[in-house]
Amino acid sequence: MTGRETSPAGARPILRDRRFVRLWCGTTASGLATWALPFVLGLAVLDRTLTTAGLGIVLATRTIGFLAAVPISGVLADRYSRRAVVLWAGLAAALATPFIALGLGRSVPLMAVAAAVVGAGQGACRPAFQALTAEVVDAGRRRRANAAMTLAVRVTTLVAPAGTALLAAVLDTWWLLVGTGVLWVVAALLPPRGLRAPARAAAGARFFGEFGEGVREARRHPWFLAGLGALAAVIFTGYSATGVALPLVSRDRYGTEAVLAAALTAYTLGALAGALLVARWTPRAQGWAALAGLALYGFAPLSLLLPAHPALVFAAYALAGLGIELFNVPWFTATQREVEPRLLARVSSLDFLVSYGLAPVGLALLAPAIDAFGLQPVLAGCALVCFLAPAAAALVPSSRGFSRR
C-alpha cells in the first residue's frame, strides 16, 4: 500500500474539466463572499454606520448560523441532491445579505438575524461542496482537485480584503454588501449537478438518527478520528494564539501592527505554496506526511514566545501556512476516498463542526488564560500541543496512509 493516487490514462487536466471548473468557480465565489463580509462591516465601523459592539454581534450570529447549519446540511446533502443543497443554501445567503445592508445605521437586530441566515448558507455549503467534489471528479484526480479548491480559498483571503478596499474608493458600504449577495447568487447557480442519485431516507427517519449514522461511519475509520482530534487541538491552541497573541505581540513587542499584517500575509503565501506543492507531490506515507505538516503550526506560537527578529516570525507563519495545506489536501482526499459515498456529507459536516466549532471557544479562552498565567507559558503550551497532538495521531496504525486498508 503506497497511498499513491494516479490519474487514469488519457484523463483531462483538472482545470480543463468544465464541470469541475464550474464547481471551482462557485466555491471561489462563496469564499469571496465569506471573506469580504467582515471587511465590509469593518468599513461600516469606520464610517460610523455600525458600532464595534454591533460588529461583534453581527459576526457572532453569523458564526452561530454557520455552526447550526453544518450538521443539518450534512444530513440533507446525503439525503437529497448535493447540488440542490448548494443551490438553496447560496440563494438563502444571497437573499439575506441585502437585509444586512438595510440594517446599517438602523437596526443591529435586523443585521444580526440576516447575518445568521448568511452564516447558515455558508455552513450548509461546506459539506455539500466537499461531497459534490467527490461526485464531479474521478478518484484519480481528486488530490489535484482538492489542491485547486484550497488554492482558491487562500487566494480569496488575499483578494477579498484588497478588493474590498479598492472598491470602497468608488462604492459605499451598502453597495459592497449587496455585492457579496451577488457572489452568493453565483455560488448558488454555477456548480454542476452531481452524478449520484439522491438516496432518500427511509420512512420515519429522524435527523439525529441520520447524523448518528454519519458519526458511526466516522468511528469506523480510526485514522479519521485521530486526525480530527489533532486538527481540533491545533486549531484550539495554534489558531487561537494567532488570533489573540499575535496582535498583542505585534503591538507591545514590535510597536507596530505591520508585523501582524505581514505575518498573516506570510501565512497565506505559505499556504499557497503548500497547495501547489501537494498537488504535485504524493508521499508514500501520505498520512504521516500530512500530520507532520499539521505539526508545523507549532512554530507559529513558538516564534512569539521569545524576542526575535520579525523575519523569524514571518518565516514561522509561512511554515505554518505551508504545513496546514500539506495536511488539508490529503485529509480531504482521503475522506472522499475512504468514507462510504452515501455518508460523505455527514462525515464532512462532523469534520467542519468540530474544527470550526472549537475555533471561537479557543479564541474566547486564550485571553483569560494569558491574563491568568502570562503570555509566555500560554504560548509554550500552545506550541507543545501543536507538536504533540499530530505526533499522537500518527501512533494510530491506519494514520500512516489515511486508510483502513
Side-chain angles (χ1 to χ4, degrees):
M1 174 70 182
T2 64
R4 291 182 180 273
E5 294 165 357
T6 57
S7 298
R12 284 179 295 171
I14 194 64
L15 292 180
R16 292 185 182 179
D17 186 325
R18 186 168 62 89
R19 288 168 53 79
F20 173 73
V21 170
R22 287 178 58 188
L23 177 61
W24 184 86
C25 290
T27 306
T28 302
S30 72
L32 285 170
T34 297
W35 283 98
L37 181 60
F39 291 96
V40 176
L41 294 176
L43 294 174
V45 172
L46 293 179
D47 64 23
R48 302 185 184 278
T49 54
L50 182 66
T51 65
T52 53
L55 173 64
I57 292 171
V58 172
L59 293 181
T61 56
R62 186 180 73 151
T63 300
I64 292 170
F66 176 92
L67 294 176
V70 164
I72 298 172
S73 168
V75 171
L76 294 179
D78 281 339
R79 184 191 293 180
Y80 304 111
S81 163
R82 286 149 182 177
R83 172 67 185 84
V85 172
V86 170
L87 173 65
W88 291 110
L91 290 179
L95 291 173
T97 299
F99 288 94
I100 300 178
L102 289 173
L104 274 177
R106 297 182 182 91
S107 173
V108 170
L110 175 61
M111 296 180 67
V113 172
V117 176
V118 172
Q122 176 193 349
C125 280
R126 290 305 297 269
F129 271 134
Q130 181 77 355
L132 192 56
T133 301
E135 293 185 45
V136 171
V137 181
D138 57 82
R141 297 186 297 164
R142 283 181 195 154
R143 188 181 186 91
R144 292 193 176 186
N146 287 316
M149 289 289 197
T150 196
L151 191 66
V153 171
R154 297 307 173 185
V155 169
T156 59
T157 63
L158 290 175
V159 172
T164 300
L166 290 173
L167 290 173
V170 294
L171 298 173
D172 62 22
T173 306
W174 195 92
W175 284 109
L176 291 174
L177 284 170
V178 171
T180 66
V182 173
L183 288 171
W184 277 116
V185 172
V186 174
L189 299 179
L190 202 55
R193 293 183 180 276
L195 302 178
R196 155 191 169 275
R200 293 183 181 273
R206 295 292 183 266
F207 165 76
F208 288 108
E210 291 185 68
F211 188 74
E213 192 178 3
V215 173
R216 288 191 293 275
E217 171 65 14
R219 292 173 59 186
R220 290 181 56 245
H221 304 275
W223 64 267
F224 180 86
L225 295 181
L228 183 57
L231 176 62
V234 169
I235 288 177
F236 189 80
T237 55
Y239 176 80
S240 299
T242 296
V244 176
L246 178 59
L248 294 176
V249 171
S250 179
R251 181 196 65 191
D252 298 338
R253 182 180 298 166
Y254 300 104
T256 174
E257 287 74 18
V259 173
L260 168 64
L264 295 179
T265 302
Y267 176 86
T268 302
L269 294 176
L272 288 172
L276 292 172
L277 173 62
V278 78
R280 297 285 182 180
W281 174 56
T282 306
R284 293 181 64 85
Q286 58 181 303
W288 283 355
L291 291 169
L294 183 62
L296 293 178
Y297 208 111
F299 287 105
L302 191 64
S303 69
L304 307 177
L305 187 58
L306 297 172
H309 192 278
L312 292 179
V313 177
F314 306 153
Y317 270 88
L319 199 60
L322 175 76
I324 204 69
E325 293 309 330
L326 293 181
F327 174 84
N328 278 340
V329 174
W331 174 256
F332 292 146
T333 306
T335 303
Q336 292 161 348
R337 181 187 68 239
E338 299 290 324
V339 170
E340 188 176 342
R342 70 180 184 87
L343 300 170
L344 179 55
R346 273 169 277 185
V347 175
S348 295
S349 71
L350 178 65
D351 176 5
F352 293 127
L353 184 64
V354 172
S355 56
Y356 281 86
L358 282 178
V361 178
L363 288 171
L365 293 180
L366 196 70
I370 291 174
D371 291 337
F373 303 107
L375 180 63
Q376 290 186 335
V378 170
L379 287 174
C382 289
L384 194 62
V385 170
C386 289
F387 290 133
L388 292 182
L395 297 177
V396 175
S398 57
S399 69
R400 184 180 189 275
F402 279 173
S403 174
R404 294 177 68 234
R405 294 184 293 275

